[in-house]
Structures are given as C-alpha cells and as structure tokens.
Amino acid sequence: MTRVLLLPLRALAFVLWFTGAIVRSSGAVLADIATPAPRGAPRVVRLPLGAGGDAHLVALSVCITLTPGTLVLGVVPDGDDGRALLVHSLYHPDAETALADLRDTSHRLRAVVRPEGRP
C-alpha cells in the first residue's frame, strides 16, 4: 500500500532527475556548437534489456531520444528471449561510460514503475 502512495513522489523524483539530465546534455551540445573544434565522440552502443516489457522499452527509448546527444536507432534481438537497444551516443568519452549512463536511466525509470524489483 505504501508503495502505491509513494508512486507520485517517485515519479516526481524521476522527472526532476531527467530534467537535470536534459539540461546537462543541452549544455554539452551548446558547448560543442560554440567552440570551433568538435567535442563529440560519436559511437553506437548496444544496451541489453533482458526480458523487460514493452512499456519499459518504449519509455526508455523515448527518454533516451529526448536527451540531446543520444538517439535510439532500433531494437535488436539479444540472446534467446531478450532484446537490446542500439543507441547512438555523441558526447560520452567511451562505450563503457555511455552504457553506464544508459543503464542508470533504465534503472531509475524501472524504479518508478516497478519499485518492488519484479521483472
């Protein structure tokens, strides 16, 4: 019961965190535009999602695509029953950092809709 009552607070916390992520990413894009030398390091990374549901996949894809400097290119099969997102990242210094940030977004989003840790 308390988990249901805390849903608006969890959702608000995610919205505030995501707004901050958009502002930080926008700053990176603006800095790249304002300087003569390109600062981007474009790369495509594969983000495994496991057997997550369609709603999580769509919400995560929207969040990633709304963030300046990242774009979901598609969904591909990953293993027997899982899926993975192909994500273009422009401002992460390496693939590990990009994946860590994307996983963080996924975990924060999942905590809003599934706080019990159920799949």
Side-chain angles (χ1 to χ4, degrees):
M1 182 65 175
T2 58
R3 289 184 176 131
V4 173
L5 295 175
L6 291 176
L7 180 63
L9 292 176
R10 288 192 312 268
L12 178 63
F14 178 78
V15 167
L16 291 174
W17 172 83
F18 187 64
T19 301
I22 289 177
V23 169
R24 286 188 303 275
S25 296
S26 297
V29 172
L30 287 173
D32 195 18
I33 292 169
T35 57
R39 300 175 63 181
R43 71 187 76 257
V44 174
V45 295
R46 184 184 188 109
L47 177 65
L49 297 175
D54 290 340
H56 179 73
L57 176 94
V58 170
L60 180 60
S61 298
V62 168
C63 288
I64 291 171
T65 300
L66 282 175
T67 306
T70 58
L71 175 69
V72 173
L73 300 175
V75 180
V76 295
D78 189 45
D80 294 334
D81 61 346
R83 294 177 289 186
L85 288 177
L86 293 179
V87 179
H88 179 270
S89 169
L90 188 57
Y91 295 107
H92 289 100
D94 54 35
E96 291 79 24
T97 306
L99 286 172
D101 284 351
L102 294 170
R103 284 188 194 111
D104 182 46
T105 302
S106 177
H107 291 299
R108 287 175 185 267
L109 182 61
R110 191 176 309 263
V112 171
V113 294
R114 292 199 179 116
E116 304 87 22
R118 293 187 315 228

